[in-house]
């Protein structure tokens, strides 16, 4: 089997769709995978030329105003004509993510992709709608840093005393458990969809979300958006590359 993974975020760097596309690759060891960005018109032709050789295509796309981003719509129009004139036999699978708390907000986008498959003569394999995608991306950055700090403390403790305290082991276990719990819905859906891809089968659309209660998610998301607006949409960039932000 040969799988094409498309990250359709219009952002040149970062983005939840790119994060999920990288995470999903871990669920498909042994599968021949090829990844390509779908962020602008310049990417269209290169991707279309890959279609005839693929058994499956997995599209990772952000939700824009309850729909697909405009460049994705433009790409699908060209892809429809291309698939009608070339032997394309792949199944299309999709991940749609949004910043709202509910994954079902992505249902219209998945329906659009399913309708496109009917028009283009492509087999629809199924999709996943992910709520709180941006927060899951942030967690995917923050928790590896926290875990890395704990591992560094454990290494220093071992080399200095020859032992690692139980408190450090507990801290490591707690951080790993929290990350797995918050991402449990996404991880489960990814495992299910990866199984369908391996078996070349269709799976019903699934919807999941970050496992944070809504009454906590909403104020946290509001604070994040306020900070992001103050940094002109580059809040994460400012946190991770503070010196470079100030130079610019």
């Amino acid at each position: 089997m040969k799988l094409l993974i498309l990250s359709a975020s219009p952002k040149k760097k970062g983005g939840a769709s790119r994060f999920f596309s990288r995470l999903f690759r871990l669920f498909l060891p042994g599968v021949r995978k090829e990844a390509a960005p779908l962020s602008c018109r310049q990417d269209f032709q290169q991707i279309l030329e890959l279609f005839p050789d693929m058994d499956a295509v997995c599209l990772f796309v952000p939700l824009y105003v309850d729909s697909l981003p405009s460049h994705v719509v433009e790409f699908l129009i060209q892809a429809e004509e291309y698939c009608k004139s070339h032997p394309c036999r792949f199944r299309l699978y999709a991940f749609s993510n949004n910043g709202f708390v509910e994954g079902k907000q992505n249902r219209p986008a998945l329906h659009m992709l399913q309708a496109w498959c009917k028009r283009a003569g492509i087999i629809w394999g199924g999709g996943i709608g992910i709520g709180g995608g941006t927060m899951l991306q942030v967690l995917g950055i923050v928790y590896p840093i926290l875990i890395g700090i704990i591992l560094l403390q454990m290494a220093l403790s071992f080399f200095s005393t020859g032992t690692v305290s139980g408190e450090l082991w507990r801290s490591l276990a707690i951080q790993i458990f929290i990350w797995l719990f918050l991402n449990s819905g996404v991880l489960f859906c990814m495992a299910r969809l990866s199984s369908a891809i391996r078996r070349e089968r269709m799976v019903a659309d699934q919807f999941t979300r970050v496992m944070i209660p809504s009454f906590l998610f909403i104020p946290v998301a509001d604070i994040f958006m306020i900070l992001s607006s103050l940094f002109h949409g580059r809040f994460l960039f400012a946190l991770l590359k503070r010196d470079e932000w100030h130079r610019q």
Side-chain angles (χ1 to χ4, degrees):
M1 163 176 280
K2 195 169 183 180
L3 170 67
L4 175 62
I5 297 176
L6 298 177
S7 175
S9 173
K11 298 178 181 178
K12 293 182 179 180
K13 294 182 179 180
S17 296
R18 188 171 287 106
F19 167 74
F20 289 125
S21 69
R22 291 172 177 171
L23 179 62
F24 188 61
R25 296 177 210 179
L26 302 178
F27 287 81
L28 293 163
V31 174
R32 295 172 58 196
K33 299 179 286 290
E34 189 162 348
L38 176 56
S39 57
C40 60
R41 293 175 180 172
Q42 286 71 22
D43 300 324
F44 290 3
Q45 189 58 38
Q46 179 183 0
I47 293 172
L48 291 176
E49 292 175 356
L50 295 173
F51 275 3
D53 296 329
M54 296 297 157
D55 299 302
V57 174
C58 201
L59 176 67
F60 291 79
V61 60
L63 188 72
Y64 273 40
V65 198
D66 287 341
S67 183
L68 302 171
S70 59
H71 74 285
V72 175
V73 175
E74 185 177 356
F75 171 76
L76 292 176
I77 293 173
Q78 294 189 24
E80 180 181 341
E81 298 301 321
Y82 185 90
C83 291
K84 288 180 178 179
S85 59
H86 294 76
C88 297
R89 54 184 177 82
F90 62 84
R91 291 176 180 266
L92 178 66
Y93 301 87
F95 286 74
S96 178
N97 74 88
N98 64 62
F100 305 108
V101 65
E102 294 298 338
K104 291 183 179 180
Q105 193 84 20
N106 296 281
R107 192 188 300 274
L110 296 182
H111 284 176
M112 292 175 190
L113 291 170
Q114 185 176 7
W116 175 83
C117 286
K118 292 181 180 179
R119 288 178 57 91
I122 299 298
I123 301 174
W124 172 245
I128 295 176
I130 303 173
T134 302
M135 183 167 289
L136 288 170
Q137 177 199 3
V138 173
L139 294 174
I141 296 173
V142 172
Y143 273 88
I145 294 175
L146 293 176
I147 292 172
I149 292 173
I150 295 174
L151 290 175
L152 178 61
Q153 291 176 330
M154 295 174 72
L156 292 174
S157 176
F158 179 79
F159 285 118
S160 61
T161 65
T163 61
V164 178
S165 68
E167 183 178 351
L168 286 175
W169 282 111
R170 284 193 296 272
S171 296
L172 178 63
I174 289 171
Q175 296 302 332
I176 293 176
F177 173 80
I178 292 175
W179 186 87
L180 289 174
F181 172 75
L182 295 175
N183 288 270
S184 58
V186 173
L187 297 176
F188 173 79
C189 290
M190 284 189 172
R192 188 179 177 193
L193 192 64
S194 65
S195 176
I197 291 175
R198 287 180 178 278
R199 299 179 181 182
E200 299 183 8
R201 293 181 179 178
M202 177 183 176
V203 64
D205 292 345
Q206 308 161 72
F207 301 95
T208 186
R209 51 175 282 186
V210 59
M211 296 303 173
I212 295 178
S214 298
F215 72 90
L216 291 177
F217 177 91
I218 294 174
V220 171
D222 288 342
I223 293 172
F224 177 83
M225 292 305 297
I226 291 172
L227 292 173
S228 182
S229 65
L230 291 175
F231 284 90
H232 306 287
R234 305 178 71 179
F235 178 56
L236 283 179
F237 183 85
L239 284 177
L240 298 176
K241 297 183 179 180
R242 186 175 180 181
D243 294 337
E244 185 174 343
W245 164 256
H246 284 300
R247 288 199 298 271
Q248 293 179 357

